[in-house]
Amino acid sequence: MKIAKKICIVLFLAVVLAFIYVPILLLAVYSFTDATMVGGAISGFSFANYATLFEDSELRNMIIGTIILAFGSALLSTILGTLGAIGAFYCKKTPRHLINYANQIPVVNADVVTGFSVCVLLIVMFGVSKDTYIPLIIGHTVLCSPFVYLSVMPKLKQMDNNLYEAALDLGATPSQALFKVVIPQLLSGILSGFMLAVTLSLDDYFITTYTKPSTFNTISTYVVNATKGSQTEIKTALWALSTVIFIIVVVVVILMNVLSKRKAKEARDI
């Protein structure tokens, strides 16, 4: 029975992993061919899709703009989310619970609702021009900040509550105690929150659609629009883009796991 149970578990995991990764790997394979559609005839391997990806100025500008938006909004979200988590942690019980509940609403709320709300608030009510990047940046910051908060808060709970007070008793100013004592204890949570914010910004479609200028596209909005068009060369170049993103994610995950294992080993040796 135990052997049969193990076999069933392995088969189930294999099926789940196949559903997740086989389509990605299939897309990666076709990105190195001259096929015009996934599942179509292949007459030979080619790097034309990757050449188009890096040579086409429209695609290149779209990718650069997406990366700048992702890292810029992630930086703002990390600052706001970290300060919010620290402020809530040192609040009294009732305000802390209220802040925690308020932070959970954007997390469980649908992106389309958040995007439409930001659009109505800034563009309709306050008259902010949609031709600027202000609604877009604010929308992505609203999306990402709660997740940074959730990444930092567990680290605060693991930290000794008396560290801040001890630093003050030893002569540190409040700002010195914050930046030299508290924040160094939270760096792993802050980094995790920042990377999560980058991922969320890169992946977002609905908030971007409602708040972006008409002349600007991120990877998500560009891909959706490209699939509706008839430019086969652009569509196949997006296969290459998907493959590059997947490889980067795999490399980052492997590096993070290697570094975490190395740090754990060093901690055990000490």
Side-chain angles (χ1 to χ4, degrees):
M1 290 295 294
K2 290 184 178 180
I3 296 176
K5 185 177 180 180
K6 289 182 179 179
I7 292 174
C8 290
I9 292 173
V10 171
L11 289 175
F12 177 76
L13 290 175
V15 170
V16 171
L17 292 174
F19 270 107
I20 295 173
Y21 291 106
V22 167
I24 299 175
L25 296 176
L26 183 64
L27 192 66
V29 170
Y30 270 86
S31 70
F32 289 100
T33 69
D34 56 3
T36 58
M37 60 180 295
V38 176
I42 300 174
S43 60
F45 287 91
S46 171
F47 289 96
N49 293 327
Y50 290 88
T52 302
L53 179 64
F54 293 105
E55 291 176 358
D56 187 280
S57 60
E58 184 180 358
L59 285 172
R60 189 169 59 249
N61 292 335
M62 177 268 295
I63 295 170
I64 293 172
T66 303
I67 293 172
I68 292 173
L69 172 64
F71 279 88
S73 60
L75 180 60
L76 290 173
S77 301
T78 301
I79 294 171
L80 294 174
T82 301
L83 294 178
I86 293 172
F89 182 75
Y90 286 105
C91 276
K92 293 182 179 180
K93 187 176 181 180
T94 301
R96 181 167 67 248
H97 286 323
L98 290 175
I99 294 172
N100 285 333
Y101 294 147
N103 184 78
Q104 291 172 15
I105 294 173
V107 174
V108 299
N109 197 19
D111 287 358
V112 64
V113 176
T114 302
F116 186 69
S117 301
V118 172
C119 177
V120 170
L121 178 65
L122 295 178
I123 298 175
V124 178
M125 294 184 63
F126 289 99
V128 178
S129 175
K130 197 178 178 183
D131 292 331
T132 68
Y133 291 91
I134 295 175
L136 178 61
I137 295 171
I138 291 177
H140 278 238
T141 303
V142 169
L143 169 69
C144 300
S145 296
F147 291 91
V148 177
Y149 178 100
L150 293 176
S151 297
V152 174
M153 186 57 76
K155 291 298 177 181
L156 281 163
K157 293 179 179 178
Q158 295 171 9
M159 185 184 68
D160 188 345
N161 293 342
N162 298 318
L163 283 176
Y164 181 75
E165 288 78 5
L168 295 179
D169 291 340
L170 292 172
T173 63
S175 60
Q176 288 175 331
L178 175 63
F179 289 103
K180 294 186 178 181
V181 177
V182 176
I183 289 182
Q185 300 291 323
L186 311 176
L187 282 180
S188 59
I190 293 172
L191 179 60
S192 298
F194 177 80
M195 295 306 299
L196 181 59
V198 171
T199 304
L200 289 169
S201 179
L202 287 172
D203 188 56
D204 178 73
Y205 171 75
F206 289 107
I207 294 176
T208 305
T209 300
Y210 280 112
T211 58
K212 74 179 184 69
S214 58
T215 57
F216 179 80
N217 269 309
T218 62
I219 293 174
S220 298
T221 59
Y222 190 91
V223 168
V224 172
N225 294 331
T227 55
K228 297 177 181 178
S230 58
Q231 293 178 285
T232 303
E233 188 178 83
I234 297 297
K235 290 181 182 179
T236 55
L238 294 175
W239 301 349
L241 177 60
S242 300
T243 304
V244 171
I245 293 173
F246 178 70
I247 292 172
I248 292 173
V249 170
V250 170
V251 171
V252 169
V253 169
I254 292 173
L255 288 176
M256 289 180 67
N257 280 278
V258 170
L259 290 175
S260 63
K261 288 181 179 179
R262 185 176 298 175
K263 288 181 179 179
K265 184 178 179 181
E266 291 175 354
R268 287 196 302 267
D269 293 340
I270 294 174

